[in-house]
Amino acid sequence: MKITSVECYKGPFITVKVNTDEGISGFGEAGLSYGCCQTAAWGNCQDFAKLVIGMDPFDTEKIYEHLHRHTFWGMNGGVTVSAAMAALDIACWDIKGKALGLPVYKLLGGKTRDTMRTYASQLQTGWKTLVTREDRAVLLYDPQDYYDAVKDAVADGYDAVKIDPCFAGLEQEDFSTAYLHRGDNLKGVYPYDLRKIAVERIAAAREAGGEKLDIIIEIHGTLDANTAIDLANALEPYRILYYEEPTMPSNPKVFNRIRDQIHIPLATGERCYTRWGFRQFFEDRSISIAQPDLCNTGGITEGKKIADMAHVYDIGVQFHSCGGPIATAAALQLEAVIPNFVMHEFHNGNFQSKFRKGGKYEWMPVNGQFHMCDRPGIGQEMSEEAMATYEKVVIGGGKASLGL
């Protein structure tokens, strides 16, 4: 089997369709559907697609090493490079599963569980009722709104939630405006009023969910060591499950400082790329939960290695999942296999129409649990509507062509 062409799509999600000479196609995703790197990721997918034409999609290790070693920027190349590698890698695993008539989890060693505990993520922008009605992220300000969002998630069957209590400031703003300056005033010394309202939001969440609800605190890297320690100590009475990205992961020693002065487990990973990016966090045991994103850290091939490395250090794995239907499906395949799985992240953006229209199959959690499907490959494809409406460039098949 040989790769004959790669279709690179740019829409709400950056996706690829890898085609072969045996008529079997696979889908992958580059994990940059948020932030400001979509065009770069789409371009990088096109660049790397040219390098895999003619290769056997079953040779995922060879393809990964080819893109890692022979592209110059593949070695420690950063997020857009690793994301493009991920998109092609996931598509190749999808092809392998379809060719063999097996779900990818069978090719990775088989399931260690049939269902994946799932948490409701990003409740600072609401949950199902609000997001479905508005079809967008609505940044919540008042603690009562956080109470209502948690009640909505609990009613939906979830026993764990994740909230960024710092994203919204002291005044009501729309999400896009707040996004441009979040965390600007959260360095050095935590302003009293901002810390107070952050704590009040989590207090409201705890009240809404009761004592058994697990609460994950999301920071998106907007604090520094001092303010991260300050906030963690203020939140400790509310039984926090773990503390995600309290500061940038660029300097793992800063995580050591935070870890040594708080009593909440630390987590990070969506901005760590490849196993080399996680190495020091594992070796000094500064984190308790690793959160690689399969779609920006190199794909299933690299993600499995990261999870296995984490297992050696008794570190749990909760794959970061903040993309489209292809990203969700890829994460679920690997989560079903690894013994150190913690939870699956179900982002509230998945209730938006762009997500629900992006995949061929409706695959959603039920009562806070994802159930594995047995469709061959990763179990998901782009919808016909998505392929017809996204911008498209085709690499291979004799030439590169520009679609819609």
Side-chain angles (χ1 to χ4, degrees):
M1 184 183 289
K2 302 295 181 185
I3 296 172
T4 55
S5 65
V6 180
E7 301 169 24
C8 302
Y9 292 91
K10 178 175 175 285
F13 312 106
I14 307 300
T15 46
V16 300
K17 180 183 180 185
V18 175
N19 302 308
T20 69
D21 58 357
E22 296 188 14
I24 300 172
S25 300
F27 292 86
E29 182 173 336
L32 293 166
S33 59
Y34 56 101
C36 297
C37 291
Q38 290 94 336
T39 303
W42 188 44
N44 222 141
C45 286
Q46 295 169 50
D47 289 341
F48 281 8
K50 298 170 187 175
L51 302 179
V52 301
I53 302 298
M55 297 187 75
D56 185 340
F58 270 73
D59 294 340
T60 43
E61 285 288 345
K62 182 178 180 179
I63 290 171
Y64 186 90
E65 280 298 297
H66 179 46
L67 298 178
H68 178 68
R69 296 286 178 184
H70 304 151
T71 59
F72 191 85
W73 297 113
M75 292 185 287
N76 203 33
V79 62
T80 56
V81 170
S82 295
M85 293 168 68
L88 294 167
D89 179 80
I90 292 167
C92 288
W93 279 98
D94 192 29
I95 290 168
K96 288 199 280 187
K98 288 172 177 173
L100 297 172
L102 295 170
V104 166
Y105 71 76
K106 283 284 190 182
L107 310 182
L108 296 171
K111 291 185 291 186
T112 59
R113 62 191 56 80
D114 292 314
T115 60
M116 273 67 69
R117 184 190 182 196
T118 302
Y119 70 85
S121 183
Q122 308 304 323
L123 268 66
Q124 74 277 0
T125 52
W127 191 243
K128 185 176 183 179
T129 299
L130 177 63
V131 176
T132 302
R133 184 182 73 229
E134 300 293 330
D135 202 25
R136 62 187 177 90
V138 180
L139 186 59
L140 306 181
Y141 163 75
D142 192 276
Q144 179 64 45
D145 295 330
Y146 288 71
Y147 178 96
D148 294 341
V150 171
K151 280 291 189 185
D152 195 16
V154 170
D156 212 13
Y158 293 86
D159 61 4
V161 300
K162 181 161 78 178
I163 301 169
D164 184 338
C166 310
F167 206 112
L170 293 173
E171 298 179 0
Q172 188 72 52
E173 293 179 301
D174 66 80
F175 176 82
S176 58
T177 301
Y179 196 92
L180 295 176
H181 62 79
R182 60 192 174 86
D184 287 352
N185 53 355
L186 297 178
K187 310 293 184 185
V189 177
Y190 211 127
Y192 172 81
D193 289 340
L194 287 171
R195 181 182 59 195
K196 180 174 180 292
I197 197 167
V199 173
E200 288 173 351
R201 290 164 180 160
I202 300 306
R206 172 56 67 203
E207 181 183 355
E211 64 181 7
K212 292 184 179 180
L213 179 75
D214 282 327
I215 298 176
I216 302 163
I217 298 299
E218 165 80 280
I219 301 298
H220 289 108
T222 54
L223 302 178
D224 63 10
N226 293 333
T227 52
I229 292 166
D230 190 355
L231 180 61
N233 289 331
L235 291 176
E236 186 179 339
Y238 300 98
R239 196 179 71 76
I240 305 306
L241 186 64
Y242 50 89
Y243 198 31
E244 178 176 334
E245 257 198 335
T247 193
M248 293 189 304
S250 308
N251 185 351
K253 289 185 178 180
V254 174
F255 273 70
N256 291 335
R257 170 172 163 75
I258 296 171
R259 178 203 59 194
D260 291 344
Q261 297 193 47
I262 68 174
H263 300 286
I264 301 172
L266 298 183
T268 199
E270 78 177 274
R271 280 182 272 211
C272 300
Y273 316 117
T274 77
R275 73 201 91 150
W276 290 275
F278 284 88
R279 179 191 59 79
Q280 187 171 328
F281 287 107
F282 293 167
E283 290 180 354
D284 63 17
R285 200 51 172 75
S286 53
I287 61 173
S288 298
I289 306 293
Q291 299 172 306
D293 189 316
L294 292 186
C295 294
N296 71 21
T297 195
I300 292 171
T301 297
E302 189 69 8
K304 179 66 161 59
K305 293 182 172 104
I306 294 168
D308 290 342
M309 284 176 64
H311 197 195
V312 173
Y313 295 94
D314 283 346
I315 292 171
V317 172
Q318 175 249 290
F319 288 112
H320 178 262
S321 185
C322 184
I326 302 298
T328 296
L332 288 168
Q333 294 293 333
L334 189 45
E335 287 168 343
V337 175
I338 60 173
N340 50 336
F341 166 75
V342 177
M343 278 190 286
H344 177 85
E345 177 178 19
F346 190 71
H347 196 285
N348 64 4
N350 296 354
F351 295 119
Q352 295 182 34
S353 59
K354 66 182 181 181
F355 182 92
R356 303 189 78 126
K357 293 178 180 179
K360 180 177 180 179
Y361 304 106
E362 180 83 358
W363 193 3
M364 302 285 249
V366 177
N367 293 323
Q369 300 280 332
F370 254 113
H371 297 261
M372 279 308 297
C373 76
D374 287 323
R375 288 187 289 268
I378 63 170
Q380 185 61 279
E381 297 183 355
M382 289 180 70
S383 69
E384 293 295 332
E385 179 179 347
M387 288 189 284
T389 55
Y390 287 16
E391 291 184 73
K392 180 174 75 171
V393 170
V394 181
I395 304 296
K399 60 180 179 179
S401 62
L402 182 65
L404 289 174

